[in-house]
Amino acid sequence: MTSEVNSKEVRRLDRVIIRFAGDSGDGMQLTGDRFTSETATFGNDLSTLPNFPAEIRAPAGTLPGVSSFQVHFADHDILTPGDAPNVLVAMNPAALKANIGDVPRGAEVIVNTDEFNKRAMAKVGYEVSPLEDGSLDGFSVHEVPLTTLTVEALKEFGLSRKDAGRSKNMFALGLLSWMYHRPTEGTLEFLRTKFAKKPDIAEANIAAFRAGWNFGETTEDFAVSYEVEPAHSAFAAGTYRSISGNLALSYGLIAAGQQADLPLFLGSYPITPASDILHELSRHKNFGVSTFQAEDEIAGIGAALGAAFGGALGVTTTSGPGVALKAETVGLAVSLELPLLIIDIQRGGPSTGLPTKTEQADLLQAMYGRNGEAPVPIVAPSTPSDCFTAALDAARIALTYRTPVMLLSDGYLANGTEPWRIPEVDELPDLRVQFATKTNHTLDDGTEVFWPYKRDPQTLARPWAIPGTPGLEHRIGGIEKENGSGNISYSPSNHDLMVRTRQAKIDGIEVPDVLVDDPQGKARTLVLGWGSTYGPITAAVRRVRRAGDHIAQAHLRNLNPFPRNLGEVLAAYDKVVVPEMNLGQLATLVRARYLVDAFSYNQVNGMPFKAEQLATALKEAIDNG
């Protein structure tokens, strides 16, 4: 299909934002994922934003049941899924009503007219059809009977209208693939593989896909198609693939286990949006990965900590509510001083909150959410592909310093996708550790013994002794231990020493200095971010600079301990702006630590920042400085 030439006008664009929207049973996530995969194959830079209901099957045709998938692709480097779609594909009235407010005037709106009946429109409060009342006059509207056309295309398969109509998402995918000259071979292969045991269904979906392509080719309603060239200048040399944050994190954990030469153990309880990591790691037993789906969050982390005691790289995955349940065991891991990775894919809260929406509101929980003085290092990836590197960094810290480590991703990173350069094995860090194999202390009477809390003078890490190693028997538990020997101790002075030593160990962790992007060195305002705000902040900074203003940018990967040069960086600017998807948690920390009057810019609507919105806020900060 990609080789066919038509006489219609072809326009070249540098970037496009498309949003597929429909009922949660219309296959919008699959449609968007396939369009994204073909776009990645073509070589465009891209960023995606899946958005779906928390319910497994929300009421059909209602606003809460709308599922959407936005993909932004370009011939140059891009950083976000885009602020507003150039094209909206609306499969029903609910999808149109839920999304039309985001669509700028003049954009293209493709509407499945078959679904615009009185009953469906009444469900979402349309008394008169928006296709007839003039409310869409400012848009380029394409009225397409997607269901009818799909059913007609699948006549030969003998399917009922209902069953045939389920393939309308493939018809829409074919139409959009024609409009934007997307490759098709990967989708055809995907459908044949997905429905390998039901070849008739596979061929029906392929027929619907081809019918959508041919409809675009032949109908007069679509007089123009578009080309977006590959983003050659955006990518360094290498082999690339499209990857989501959760998949990148999974691969990073596997790589960490391999580079440490340790078995990888995941103890987890399913929770949105972290469950994909459990699903993915369960497929990789060949890399020494063991996965345990526990009966609850507490059992999941308990098993992971037990695996760490036994000499494995222990990991537990969860989202915000699960972190609360795991808190006591995290404190135990701090006391035992064992390497453990706690992966928190943040979501909207509090409590159950917004399971399928994104938020950055667990930072203070990660920093302080345990009883007693229980410091834990915190690492936060900035993009979906960066989740791979962040997992390796978290494992490095955990293994080197014998400590639990919190990794804070979020729903935006977890489900979003972007191109990722697959690293060469020799580019990965060496994470191998030396287990204790012999005694390490001599008593006054000359006896050689093993002291489990005798520390490395550089890292303050205690030795890691595998249970069953002859002569290295030692006591573990949550009651305070005597420095060195590990014996139970209630001594006030010993407790003071142990608390301060555990804190000093975390404070002494080697992390890279924070880098400042201030090209001309003339900025007086610094925007400081962490985690998934990187893309929107960077896109906003580019807009501000294009408008002629000077602004500096810094982004934090390590949140505990902070980079050693952070205080110096903050003090170098007249104003510091901290955008966060919470009510100011990082701003609170930097104010307290560095006595900087950081200006907090916050959003907690379950969605990532828009670049234009941030650019406006940054411009105001500069002008009012």
Side-chain angles (χ1 to χ4, degrees), residues 545-556:
R545 289 174 179 167
R546 282 198 299 267
D549 288 296
H550 299 290
I551 190 166
Q553 178 186 1
H555 206 79
L556 295 176

Side-chain angles (χ1 to χ4, degrees), residues 235-242 419-424 427:
F235 303 122
T239 302
Y240 286 80
R241 61 158 293 167
S242 177
W420 172 56
R421 187 183 72 83
I422 302 172
E424 300 295 332
E427 296 174 7

